[in-house]
């Protein structure tokens, strides 16, 4: 078996598993919509001055953050499959195949990224009808999907790294919850990061160190081209998120090479 064939086989298996779980697909779509309705409309109803959010409604403001939330949660929790594969001994069969550990890791990453991109595409399509203020062009969608892809690779790598070191689903869920919720809430998905500089500078620097912040920043400014939303700049967003992506791919490959069954 060639490495490329093995990579394709692992990716295909992950995609087939995903499409057989209809409840997972439905849940992954309903959860972001629930956030948009409850958080977007609920908090938005108490905001009198829309100028605080670039002149758009609060639900529209958080829409790019909800896209990133969908990628973040789906991608990181994808690492749980490593734990289950170990429990049912499927992982032993994969590792016994004449494949490099890096090939196995990349196949898993591509499977998780594909799952995330399918789910987020549904939210993007719904957003076209729900938020007419958003800029939907070929160029804007290309930028949005570039950053969502980089974020999905980064977060899937984190999930697989954690999963490669965990032995129980319960332990994995606990550790991942401690990772994803701070990353989401400190990403600027629900607020403008620059407002923290004077009020809570320590939280501002936490958002700067968070890779999700750069995806939120780029996607928000692309879909809602308000200058106030361009907090870091697209060039810096791409450089930082791309750097995180490459670094975590390297760490993930090393984690799989040293993984114990």
């Amino acid at each position: 078996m060639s490495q490329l064939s093995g990579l394709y086989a692992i990716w295909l298996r992950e995609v087939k598993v995903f499409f057989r779980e209809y409840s997972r697909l439905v849940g992954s779509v309903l959860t972001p919509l629930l956030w948009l309705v409850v958080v977007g409309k609920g908090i938005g109803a108490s905001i009198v001055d829309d100028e605080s959010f670039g002149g758009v409604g609060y639900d529209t403001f958080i829409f790019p953050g909800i896209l990133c939330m969908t990628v973040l949660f789906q991608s990181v929790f994808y690492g749980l499959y490593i734990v289950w594969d170990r429990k049912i001994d499927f992982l032993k069969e994969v590792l016994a195949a004449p494949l490099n550990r890096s090939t196995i890791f990349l196949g898993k990453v591509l499977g998780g990224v594909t799952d995330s991109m399918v789910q987020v595409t549904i939210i993007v399509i719904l957003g076209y009808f729900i938020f007419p203020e958003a800029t939907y062009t070929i160029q804007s969608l290309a930028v949005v999907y570039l950053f969502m892809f980089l974020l999905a690779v980064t977060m899937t790598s984190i999930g697989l790294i954690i999963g490669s070191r965990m032995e129980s689903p319960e332990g994995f869920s606990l550790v991942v919850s401690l990772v994803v919720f701070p990353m989401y809430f400190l990403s600027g998905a629900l607020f403008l990061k620059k407002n923290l500089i004077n009020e809570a500078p320590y939280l501002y620097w936490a958002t700067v160190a968070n890779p999700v912040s750069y995806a939120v920043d780029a996607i928000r400014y692309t879909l809602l081209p308000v200058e106030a939303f361009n907090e870091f700049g697209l060039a810096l967003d791409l450089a930082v998120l791309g750097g995180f992506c490459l670094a975590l791919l390297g760490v993930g490959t090393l984690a799989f090479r040293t993984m114990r069954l």
Side-chain angles (χ1 to χ4, degrees):
M1 177 185 291
S2 68
Q3 298 299 314
L4 188 59
S5 298
L7 181 69
Y8 172 74
I10 294 173
W11 169 81
L12 184 61
R13 184 255 180 182
E14 302 303 323
V15 173
K16 284 185 176 180
V17 169
F18 171 72
F19 280 107
R20 287 173 180 171
E21 298 179 349
Y22 300 107
S23 58
R24 178 181 164 196
L25 182 60
V26 172
S28 65
V29 174
L30 291 180
T31 300
L33 292 178
L34 185 64
W35 273 77
L36 284 172
V37 173
V38 176
V39 177
K41 294 296 184 182
I43 296 180
S46 63
I47 298 174
V48 178
D49 182 15
D50 284 343
E51 293 303 320
S52 301
F53 299 99
V56 301
Y58 185 70
D59 54 343
T60 304
F61 171 81
I62 69 172
F63 174 57
I66 297 301
L67 292 177
C68 293
M69 182 196 76
T70 303
V71 174
L72 170 63
F73 280 69
Q74 164 61 27
S75 298
V76 176
F77 277 97
Y78 174 79
L80 180 62
Y81 283 90
I82 289 293
V83 181
W84 283 113
D85 284 349
R86 182 185 288 114
K87 278 186 168 295
I88 64 176
D89 291 335
F90 175 78
L91 191 60
K92 289 182 179 180
E93 298 176 7
V94 174
L95 296 179
L99 294 173
N100 296 330
R101 293 288 181 96
S102 58
T103 301
I104 297 172
F105 174 73
L106 288 176
K108 289 284 188 180
V109 168
L110 290 177
V113 169
T114 302
D115 296 354
S116 296
M117 299 306 284
V118 169
Q119 294 180 28
V120 82
T121 295
I122 298 174
I123 306 301
V124 169
I125 294 173
L126 292 176
Y128 176 78
F129 299 99
I130 299 174
F131 304 109
E133 305 95 329
T135 303
Y136 275 76
T137 64
I138 295 176
Q139 292 81 3
S140 67
L141 289 176
V143 173
V144 167
Y145 271 90
L146 171 62
F147 278 92
M148 288 195 296
F149 174 80
L150 292 175
L151 179 64
V153 172
T154 301
M155 295 298 108
T156 302
S157 298
I158 291 177
L160 291 173
I161 291 169
I162 297 174
S164 69
R165 292 295 181 266
M166 304 301 297
E167 297 183 356
S168 70
E170 295 80 11
F172 175 87
S173 299
L174 178 60
V175 172
V176 165
S177 295
L178 293 175
V179 172
V180 296
F181 283 105
M183 292 184 77
Y184 177 64
F185 288 118
L186 292 175
S187 68
L190 304 177
F191 53 83
L192 285 171
K193 296 177 283 295
K194 63 183 181 182
N195 295 337
L196 295 174
I197 295 178
N198 296 324
E199 297 296 330
Y202 56 93
L203 288 180
Y204 173 77
W205 291 111
T207 65
V208 171
N210 182 3
V212 186
S213 298
Y214 298 90
V216 171
D217 185 64
I219 294 173
R220 175 173 288 144
Y221 183 61
T222 301
L223 290 179
L224 306 171
V226 178
E227 192 57 38
F229 297 162
N230 190 21
E231 299 187 84
F232 295 137
L234 289 179
L236 181 60
D237 291 331
L238 182 60
V240 174
L241 188 57
F244 270 107
C245 180
L246 292 175
L248 286 164
L249 282 175
V251 174
T253 300
L254 180 61
F256 264 54
R257 287 176 179 172
T258 59
M259 180 172 53
R260 296 180 180 178
L261 294 178

